[in-house]
Amino acid sequence: MKEQNGADVNIIPQLDKACGLDMHKDKIIGFISCKDGSGQELKEFGTFTCELKEIKAWLQGHHVEHCLMESTGIYWMSLYAILTEAGISVTVANPTHIKQVPKRKTDRKDAKWLCTLLLNGLVRPSFMPTAEQRILRDHCRSRLFYMRQQNKTQNRLLKILESNNIKLRSVISSIKTKSAMSMIRLLATGVTDKQQLIACALGRVKLKKEGLSKALDGTLAPHHLVQLQMLLQDLDHVAKQLETLETMIVEMTQAHYSVAYECLDSITGIAGKSAQIILSEAGSDMSRFNTADHLTAWCGLAPGNHESAGKRRETSVKKGNPYLKTAIITAAWAAVRVKDSYWRALFERLRKRMRVQKAIVAIARRMLKVVYKTLDTLTHYQEKGIAHFMDLQAKAAMYHRMKQQWPSTE
């Protein structure tokens, strides 16, 4: 049997014996049952590590090889690791896919419902990354956290300067530059000599001495200097953390994803950090996704369907993996800025008939399909440029004219 897109329909086999685990912060309800309803047992456990090991022993004592749990926050992760190490097949499912019957909600009934779904093959497992991918994912997400922290600290630094009329931002493009940071570090130590401060200027900033002289004439008070020193210490700490994370990410990428990383890096708009995020979130094994459309839906870039009485209504994209979604949209913006690229030509055409935000999401969705094909075949992407896009448009127009000229078969 085939779906409309041609992919095989996956029939999940039924099981002879299974267990449903209802996860909470401080307790876990387990229910074991055979397919014919015999051998049922309901038991409650705590969530300390020793009690998680009791769950493992309980399942092994009843010869249970399959269990189902919901992906409730982060509480399922430790038990998942303990059970999988013991050789027990654990299915982690999205809670929205396995909702209980309305008005019949208790923890014990939830555990029985999970067991029933697993026994009858009525649950779809969630995407589970490999051990190496989980490590890379943790590193990439930690890097993102520190990068956001770095931006917040720099914004706070700029706010203190602007509130005291230090107008560096009006003369220098960004306070992140070496020239600006050197001046700020001197200001934080109480230096007010303009010539000493202007001497920190590098490159073309040297040509703006008159503007710098005016911009550095502020009203910093002693307590502002203390705040600047604290923020600079925070920036130095975050920079060291980012350097450590960057080293570990590069090592992990080279050790486990070197070929896939090079293939992704060949795609227009996708650079080193974007490729690392894609590998950490989606992995390099595309067999986990039946088609490219499944990957775009998992990412949250696939348009929804809303059809009733033969009428199709406009819908927005659904929720998906926010880290991968942000990375691929950022890459799409980078790709459409490349002169004479295929992506820029496609973007210019799309923005004529839709909003810019919607057009960039459409570009990101197509780019993610290219990512799927690139990782699936492990081949380098070949940028065909605007000439290829114009050629496709000419062929489409010719086909449309020929179709209009064909005699009607009615």
Side-chain angles (χ1 to χ4, degrees):
M1 184 177 180
K2 297 279 186 180
E3 292 180 350
Q4 290 183 354
N5 60 4
D8 292 331
V9 176
N10 295 323
I11 304 299
I12 304 175
Q14 295 183 344
L15 304 175
D16 294 326
K17 196 172 190 179
C19 175
L21 297 169
D22 186 42
M23 307 287 299
H24 298 276
K25 179 182 177 181
D26 297 317
K27 70 175 181 178
I28 300 173
I29 309 297
F31 179 76
I32 296 176
S33 176
C34 295
K35 185 179 178 180
D36 57 3
S38 62
Q40 293 186 0
E41 183 174 341
L42 184 69
K43 195 171 182 180
E44 182 175 328
F45 301 88
T47 56
F48 293 110
T49 303
C50 58
E51 293 168 315
L52 297 184
K53 292 180 180 179
E54 290 179 8
I55 298 176
K56 179 186 71 173
W58 180 57
L59 294 175
Q60 290 176 333
H62 287 78
H63 305 288
V64 176
E65 299 180 354
H66 302 273
C67 65
L68 170 65
M69 64 177 72
E70 296 175 310
S71 54
T72 307
I74 59 175
Y75 305 125
W76 60 272
M77 294 182 179
S78 296
L79 181 58
Y80 176 85
I82 291 174
L83 296 182
T84 51
E85 287 179 2
I88 299 174
S89 177
V90 183
T91 300
V92 181
N94 191 324
T96 59
H97 298 161
I98 52 179
K99 288 183 178 179
Q100 175 61 286
V101 180
K103 298 182 180 180
R104 296 182 61 187
K105 176 74 172 70
T106 64
D107 295 337
R108 295 174 178 266
K109 289 180 179 178
D110 279 347
K112 293 180 179 180
W113 178 246
L114 292 173
C115 183
T116 302
L117 291 176
L118 186 59
L119 281 171
N120 293 280
L122 297 175
V123 66
R124 182 174 58 187
S126 298
F127 172 83
M128 296 303 299
T130 61
E132 294 81 10
Q133 186 182 341
R134 286 199 296 271
I135 296 174
L136 182 61
R137 178 180 288 185
D138 287 342
H139 289 339
C140 287
R141 291 184 179 182
S142 295
R143 180 179 63 183
L144 180 61
F145 166 79
Y146 281 111
M147 289 175 66
R148 290 174 176 172
Q149 194 68 25
Q150 187 179 53
N151 289 333
K152 289 181 180 179
T153 306
Q154 288 170 341
N155 291 336
R156 178 61 182 163
L157 200 66
L158 179 61
K159 185 176 181 180
I160 293 175
L161 294 175
E162 289 286 346
S163 65
N164 289 278
N165 214 38
I166 303 293
K167 311 288 287 186
L168 279 178
R169 186 63 181 80
S170 300
V171 181
I172 304 177
S173 60
S174 172
I175 64 167
K176 301 177 184 179
T177 61
K178 291 183 179 180
S179 300
M181 289 305 300
S182 298
M183 295 177 191
I184 293 171
R185 290 183 186 278
L186 283 179
L187 287 171
T189 59
V191 175
T192 57
D193 183 30
K194 293 182 182 179
Q195 295 302 322
Q196 188 177 351
L197 293 169
I198 294 174
C200 298
L202 301 172
R204 286 183 290 182
V205 182
K206 293 180 180 180
L207 305 176
K208 304 177 181 180
K209 292 183 179 180
E210 184 178 353
L212 286 174
S213 179
K214 296 178 181 179
L216 292 168
D217 187 13
T219 58
L220 286 172
H223 74 279
H224 291 131
L225 301 183
V226 176
Q227 291 180 347
L228 289 177
Q229 292 170 9
M230 294 172 64
L231 291 172
L232 289 172
Q233 290 173 3
D234 289 342
L235 280 177
D236 292 338
H237 171 70
V238 171
K240 290 181 181 178
Q241 302 293 75
L242 284 172
E243 185 179 353
T244 302
L245 285 169
E246 195 66 40
T247 301
M248 292 189 294
I249 290 171
V250 171
E251 290 176 354
M252 283 289 299
T253 305
Q254 292 177 349
H256 302 284
Y257 303 101
S258 58
V259 178
Y261 175 82
E262 292 177 1
C263 293
L264 287 177
D265 195 35
S266 66
I267 300 176
T268 305
I270 296 181
K273 284 186 172 61
S274 298
Q276 291 163 354
I277 294 174
I278 291 171
L279 290 171
S280 68
E281 298 298 332
S284 59
D285 183 12
M286 292 294 103
S287 63
R288 302 172 183 176
F289 305 97
N290 295 334
T291 63
D293 289 329
H294 284 81
L295 176 60
T296 59
W298 180 77
C299 178
L301 290 175
N305 295 321
H306 186 184
E307 182 176 347
S308 180
K311 296 181 180 180
R312 298 187 64 180
R313 295 174 173 81
E314 182 178 355
T315 57
S316 60
V317 293
K318 303 299 181 182
K319 291 183 179 180
N321 186 303
Y323 301 96
L324 179 57
K325 187 176 182 179
T326 302
I328 201 67
I329 289 179
T330 303
W333 276 117
V336 300
R337 293 189 179 101
V338 177
K339 188 177 180 180
D340 295 332
S341 68
Y342 170 84
W343 301 110
R344 180 166 185 171
L346 178 60
F347 178 71
E348 292 297 335
R349 180 176 176 82
L350 290 175
R351 68 186 300 183
K352 293 179 181 178
R353 55 190 178 90
M354 62 179 67
R355 300 190 307 273
V356 172
Q357 293 83 354
K358 191 172 182 179
I360 203 64
V361 169
I363 296 292
R365 182 170 182 267
R366 297 197 185 194
M367 283 193 70
L368 194 56
K369 287 189 173 185
V370 172
V371 167
Y372 177 90
K373 184 177 180 181
T374 301
L375 292 177
D376 190 40
T377 59
L378 290 180
T379 55
H380 286 246
Y381 173 77
Q382 299 295 329
E383 173 59 57
K384 298 180 180 179
I386 191 172
H388 176 66
F389 178 80
M390 299 302 294
D391 184 50
L392 291 177
Q393 293 299 310
K395 290 181 179 178
M398 182 180 296
Y399 173 78
H400 182 68
R401 288 195 299 269
M402 292 178 61
K403 188 175 180 181
Q404 289 181 334
Q405 294 173 1
W406 289 341
S408 175
T409 58
E410 295 182 358

